[in-house]
PDB file of all heavy atoms in Angstrom:
ATOM      1  N   GLU A 184       2.899  10.714 -14.459  1.00 94.00           N
ATOM      2  CA  GLU A 184       3.560  12.004 -14.237  1.00 94.00           C
ATOM      3  C   GLU A 184       3.544  12.406 -12.759  1.00 94.00           C
ATOM      4  O   GLU A 184       3.172  13.523 -12.403  1.00 94.00           O
ATOM      5  CB  GLU A 184       2.902  13.087 -15.096  1.00 94.00           C
ATOM      6  CG  GLU A 184       2.984  12.800 -16.586  1.00 94.00           C
ATOM      7  CD  GLU A 184       2.339  13.884 -17.425  1.00 94.00           C
ATOM      8  OE1 GLU A 184       1.525  14.652 -16.882  1.00 94.00           O
ATOM      9  OE2 GLU A 184       2.653  13.965 -18.628  1.00 94.00           O
ATOM     10  N   VAL A 185       3.944  11.473 -11.902  1.00 94.00           N
ATOM     11  CA  VAL A 185       4.043  11.756 -10.473  1.00 94.00           C
ATOM     12  C   VAL A 185       5.521  11.822 -10.100  1.00 94.00           C
ATOM     13  O   VAL A 185       6.260  10.855 -10.287  1.00 94.00           O
ATOM     14  CB  VAL A 185       3.317  10.684  -9.632  1.00 94.00           C
ATOM     15  CG1 VAL A 185       1.817  10.942  -9.625  1.00 94.00           C
ATOM     16  CG2 VAL A 185       3.581   9.283 -10.157  1.00 94.00           C
ATOM     17  N   ALA A 186       5.942  12.966  -9.569  1.00 92.00           N
ATOM     18  CA  ALA A 186       7.353  13.186  -9.279  1.00 92.00           C
ATOM     19  C   ALA A 186       7.734  12.800  -7.860  1.00 92.00           C
ATOM     20  O   ALA A 186       8.921  12.638  -7.556  1.00 92.00           O
ATOM     21  CB  ALA A 186       7.704  14.659  -9.517  1.00 92.00           C
ATOM     22  N   ASN A 187       6.745  12.654  -6.978  1.00 96.00           N
ATOM     23  CA  ASN A 187       7.032  12.392  -5.568  1.00 96.00           C
ATOM     24  C   ASN A 187       7.114  10.888  -5.274  1.00 96.00           C
ATOM     25  O   ASN A 187       6.570  10.385  -4.299  1.00 96.00           O
ATOM     26  CB  ASN A 187       5.981  13.042  -4.667  1.00 96.00           C
ATOM     27  CG  ASN A 187       4.549  12.710  -5.077  1.00 96.00           C
ATOM     28  OD1 ASN A 187       4.285  12.381  -6.243  1.00 96.00           O
ATOM     29  ND2 ASN A 187       3.625  12.799  -4.140  1.00 96.00           N
ATOM     30  N   ILE A 188       7.836  10.168  -6.141  1.00 96.00           N
ATOM     31  CA  ILE A 188       7.984   8.713  -6.016  1.00 96.00           C
ATOM     32  C   ILE A 188       9.430   8.315  -6.270  1.00 96.00           C
ATOM     33  O   ILE A 188      10.087   8.858  -7.161  1.00 96.00           O
ATOM     34  CB  ILE A 188       7.065   7.961  -7.001  1.00 96.00           C
ATOM     35  CG1 ILE A 188       5.600   8.075  -6.580  1.00 96.00           C
ATOM     36  CG2 ILE A 188       7.442   6.491  -7.080  1.00 96.00           C
ATOM     37  CD1 ILE A 188       4.656   7.271  -7.456  1.00 96.00           C
ATOM     38  N   ASP A 189       9.916   7.370  -5.485  1.00 95.00           N
ATOM     39  CA  ASP A 189      11.222   6.769  -5.709  1.00 95.00           C
ATOM     40  C   ASP A 189      11.068   5.268  -5.480  1.00 95.00           C
ATOM     41  O   ASP A 189       9.997   4.815  -5.071  1.00 95.00           O
ATOM     42  CB  ASP A 189      12.261   7.355  -4.754  1.00 95.00           C
ATOM     43  CG  ASP A 189      13.654   7.363  -5.372  1.00 95.00           C
ATOM     44  OD1 ASP A 189      13.957   6.447  -6.161  1.00 95.00           O
ATOM     45  OD2 ASP A 189      14.431   8.291  -5.074  1.00 95.00           O
ATOM     46  N   ALA A 190      12.115   4.501  -5.750  1.00 94.00           N
ATOM     47  CA  ALA A 190      12.024   3.054  -5.562  1.00 94.00           C
ATOM     48  C   ALA A 190      13.380   2.469  -5.238  1.00 94.00           C
ATOM     49  O   ALA A 190      14.415   2.997  -5.645  1.00 94.00           O
ATOM     50  CB  ALA A 190      11.443   2.386  -6.809  1.00 94.00           C
ATOM     51  N   VAL A 191      13.363   1.372  -4.493  1.00 94.00           N
ATOM     52  CA  VAL A 191      14.573   0.668  -4.105  1.00 94.00           C
ATOM     53  C   VAL A 191      14.396  -0.808  -4.447  1.00 94.00           C
ATOM     54  O   VAL A 191      13.384  -1.407  -4.064  1.00 94.00           O
ATOM     55  CB  VAL A 191      14.850   0.803  -2.590  1.00 94.00           C
ATOM     56  CG1 VAL A 191      16.103   0.006  -2.207  1.00 94.00           C
ATOM     57  CG2 VAL A 191      15.008   2.271  -2.196  1.00 94.00           C
ATOM     58  N   GLN A 192      15.353  -1.384  -5.157  1.00 94.00           N
ATOM     59  CA  GLN A 192      15.290  -2.813  -5.443  1.00 94.00           C
ATOM     60  C   GLN A 192      16.060  -3.570  -4.367  1.00 94.00           C
ATOM     61  O   GLN A 192      17.266  -3.383  -4.189  1.00 94.00           O
ATOM     62  CB  GLN A 192      15.899  -3.145  -6.808  1.00 94.00           C
ATOM     63  CG  GLN A 192      15.789  -4.636  -7.131  1.00 94.00           C
ATOM     64  CD  GLN A 192      16.371  -4.984  -8.482  1.00 94.00           C
ATOM     65  OE1 GLN A 192      16.990  -4.140  -9.125  1.00 94.00           O
ATOM     66  NE2 GLN A 192      16.207  -6.227  -8.912  1.00 94.00           N
ATOM     67  N   CYS A 193      15.355  -4.404  -3.626  1.00 93.00           N
ATOM     68  CA  CYS A 193      16.000  -5.213  -2.597  1.00 93.00           C
ATOM     69  C   CYS A 193      15.033  -6.283  -2.110  1.00 93.00           C
ATOM     70  O   CYS A 193      13.838  -6.216  -2.367  1.00 93.00           O
ATOM     71  CB  CYS A 193      16.446  -4.343  -1.413  1.00 93.00           C
ATOM     72  SG  CYS A 193      15.093  -3.631  -0.469  1.00 93.00           S
ATOM     73  N   ASP A 194      15.565  -7.281  -1.434  1.00 92.00           N
ATOM     74  CA  ASP A 194      14.762  -8.286  -0.760  1.00 92.00           C
ATOM     75  C   ASP A 194      14.449  -7.743   0.624  1.00 92.00           C
ATOM     76  O   ASP A 194      15.318  -7.703   1.501  1.00 92.00           O
ATOM     77  CB  ASP A 194      15.552  -9.593  -0.659  1.00 92.00           C
ATOM     78  CG  ASP A 194      14.735 -10.727  -0.038  1.00 92.00           C
ATOM     79  OD1 ASP A 194      13.718 -10.433   0.631  1.00 92.00           O
ATOM     80  OD2 ASP A 194      15.125 -11.895  -0.201  1.00 92.00           O
ATOM     81  N   VAL A 195      13.223  -7.309   0.827  1.00 93.00           N
ATOM     82  CA  VAL A 195      12.869  -6.627   2.077  1.00 93.00           C
ATOM     83  C   VAL A 195      12.929  -7.546   3.289  1.00 93.00           C
ATOM     84  O   VAL A 195      12.964  -7.073   4.427  1.00 93.00           O
ATOM     85  CB  VAL A 195      11.462  -5.987   1.982  1.00 93.00           C
ATOM     86  CG1 VAL A 195      11.416  -4.961   0.873  1.00 93.00           C
ATOM     87  CG2 VAL A 195      10.384  -7.060   1.788  1.00 93.00           C
ATOM     88  N   LEU A 196      12.957  -8.858   3.055  1.00 92.00           N
ATOM     89  CA  LEU A 196      12.991  -9.798   4.171  1.00 92.00           C
ATOM     90  C   LEU A 196      14.407 -10.221   4.551  1.00 92.00           C
ATOM     91  O   LEU A 196      14.607 -10.829   5.602  1.00 92.00           O
ATOM     92  CB  LEU A 196      12.176 -11.050   3.831  1.00 92.00           C
ATOM     93  CG  LEU A 196      10.710 -10.819   3.466  1.00 92.00           C
ATOM     94  CD1 LEU A 196      10.013 -12.149   3.239  1.00 92.00           C
ATOM     95  CD2 LEU A 196       9.996 -10.013   4.542  1.00 92.00           C
ATOM     96  N   LYS A 197      15.392  -9.868   3.711  1.00 91.00           N
ATOM     97  CA  LYS A 197      16.751 -10.321   3.988  1.00 91.00           C
ATOM     98  C   LYS A 197      17.783  -9.206   4.074  1.00 91.00           C
ATOM     99  O   LYS A 197      18.649  -9.229   4.940  1.00 91.00           O
ATOM    100  CB  LYS A 197      17.188 -11.328   2.912  1.00 91.00           C
ATOM    101  CG  LYS A 197      16.413 -12.634   2.940  1.00 91.00           C
ATOM    102  CD  LYS A 197      16.939 -13.605   1.881  1.00 91.00           C
ATOM    103  CE  LYS A 197      16.184 -14.934   1.921  1.00 91.00           C
ATOM    104  NZ  LYS A 197      16.697 -15.875   0.884  1.00 91.00           N
ATOM    105  N   ASN A 198      17.711  -8.231   3.165  1.00 85.00           N
ATOM    106  CA  ASN A 198      18.786  -7.246   3.148  1.00 85.00           C
ATOM    107  C   ASN A 198      18.297  -5.806   3.094  1.00 85.00           C
ATOM    108  O   ASN A 198      18.932  -4.950   2.488  1.00 85.00           O
ATOM    109  CB  ASN A 198      19.735  -7.509   1.961  1.00 85.00           C
ATOM    110  CG  ASN A 198      18.987  -7.531   0.628  1.00 85.00           C
ATOM    111  OD1 ASN A 198      17.817  -7.178   0.544  1.00 85.00           O
ATOM    112  ND2 ASN A 198      19.671  -7.946  -0.427  1.00 85.00           N
ATOM    113  N   LEU A 199      17.165  -5.536   3.721  1.00 90.00           N
ATOM    114  CA  LEU A 199      16.694  -4.161   3.806  1.00 90.00           C
ATOM    115  C   LEU A 199      17.539  -3.440   4.858  1.00 90.00           C
ATOM    116  O   LEU A 199      17.558  -3.849   6.022  1.00 90.00           O
ATOM    117  CB  LEU A 199      15.217  -4.115   4.191  1.00 90.00           C
ATOM    118  CG  LEU A 199      14.561  -2.738   4.220  1.00 90.00           C
ATOM    119  CD1 LEU A 199      14.563  -2.128   2.827  1.00 90.00           C
ATOM    120  CD2 LEU A 199      13.133  -2.835   4.745  1.00 90.00           C
TER     121      LEU A 199
END
Side-chain angles (χ1 to χ4, degrees):
E184 299 180 341
V185 280
N187 51 336
I188 289 184
D189 210 327
V191 178
Q192 182 179 8
C193 67
D194 184 341
V195 299
L196 303 183
K197 293 182 179 180
N198 56 10
L199 184 64

